[in-house]
């Protein structure tokens, strides 16, 4: 891995990518660990903040312009923000099953699927992981 390519990018790309990588790690931890305890909640709060940062910062990353300055990935950012707030609302209302489903779906669809797209040739994370 060569993080030089990542840190050579303009803001917010480096912090966006680092937050996404941390969210992948913390999300996996959450999925594999015991639920409902204090640790789960605090890691969950951290994961949510990371996901919100990744989603919001994506609006300042406009390397692929399909619809004005935006790409379809920006629709995913809006979906992520909505899903986070719905999942939090669900658990606060006692609907743990819906919360669990939304968070698992968010992890799989948003972090894993979009993470795979960042590995396409010519993308920055592809250069970081494989090289130019």
């Amino acid at each position: 891995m060569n993080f030089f390519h990542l840190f050579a990018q303009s803001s917010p790309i480096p912090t966006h990518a680092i937050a996404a990588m941390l969210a992948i790690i913390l999300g996996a931890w959450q999925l594999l660990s015991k639920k409902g305890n204090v640790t789960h909640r605090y890691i969950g709060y951290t994961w949510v903040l990371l996901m919100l940062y990744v989603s919001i910062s994506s609006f300042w990353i406009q390397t692929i312009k399909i619809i004005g300055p935006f790409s379809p990935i920006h629709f995913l950012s809006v979906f992520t923000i909505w899903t986070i707030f719905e999942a939090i609302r669900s658990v606060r209302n006692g609907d743990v099953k819906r919360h669990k489903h939304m968070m698992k779906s968010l992890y799989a669809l948003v972090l894993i699927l979009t993470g795979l797209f960042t590995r396409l040739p010519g993308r920055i994370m592809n250069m970081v992981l494989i090289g130019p």
Side-chain angles (χ1 to χ4, degrees):
M1 272 199 246
N2 185 350
F3 284 95
F4 173 76
H5 296 293
L6 179 61
F7 295 120
Q9 301 303 308
S10 61
S11 182
I13 293 172
T15 56
H16 172 89
I18 291 166
M21 287 185 270
L22 289 171
I24 289 170
I25 294 165
L26 284 181
W29 177 303
Q30 282 292 76
L31 291 173
L32 298 172
S33 65
K34 184 177 178 189
K35 312 297 183 271
N37 58 25
V38 173
T39 303
H40 175 79
R41 279 190 295 260
Y42 284 122
I43 291 174
Y45 296 146
T46 305
W47 188 79
V48 162
L49 290 173
L50 287 167
M51 291 299 291
L52 288 172
Y53 179 78
V54 170
S55 298
I56 293 167
S57 68
S58 76
F59 292 105
W60 283 267
I61 301 172
Q62 300 171 349
T63 54
I64 300 173
K65 298 176 181 182
I66 295 176
I67 305 162
F70 303 112
S71 70
I73 199 91
H74 293 104
F75 291 113
L76 190 57
S77 294
V78 171
F79 171 76
T80 300
I81 294 165
W82 175 82
T83 303
I84 286 170
F85 285 104
E86 281 297 307
I88 291 169
R89 188 172 66 88
S90 295
V91 78
R92 286 188 176 165
N93 290 335
D95 193 348
V96 176
K97 185 176 179 180
R98 183 171 187 248
H99 169 80
K100 184 178 178 179
H101 173 74
M102 293 181 95
M103 290 305 208
K104 281 183 176 181
S105 297
L106 199 58
Y107 183 81
L109 293 173
V110 175
L111 287 174
I112 303 303
L113 185 61
T114 58
L116 292 173
F117 283 121
T118 65
R119 300 212 39 218
L120 292 172
R123 304 286 298 187
I124 294 160
M125 289 311 293
N126 185 41
M127 289 187 268
V128 169
L129 297 171
I130 298 171

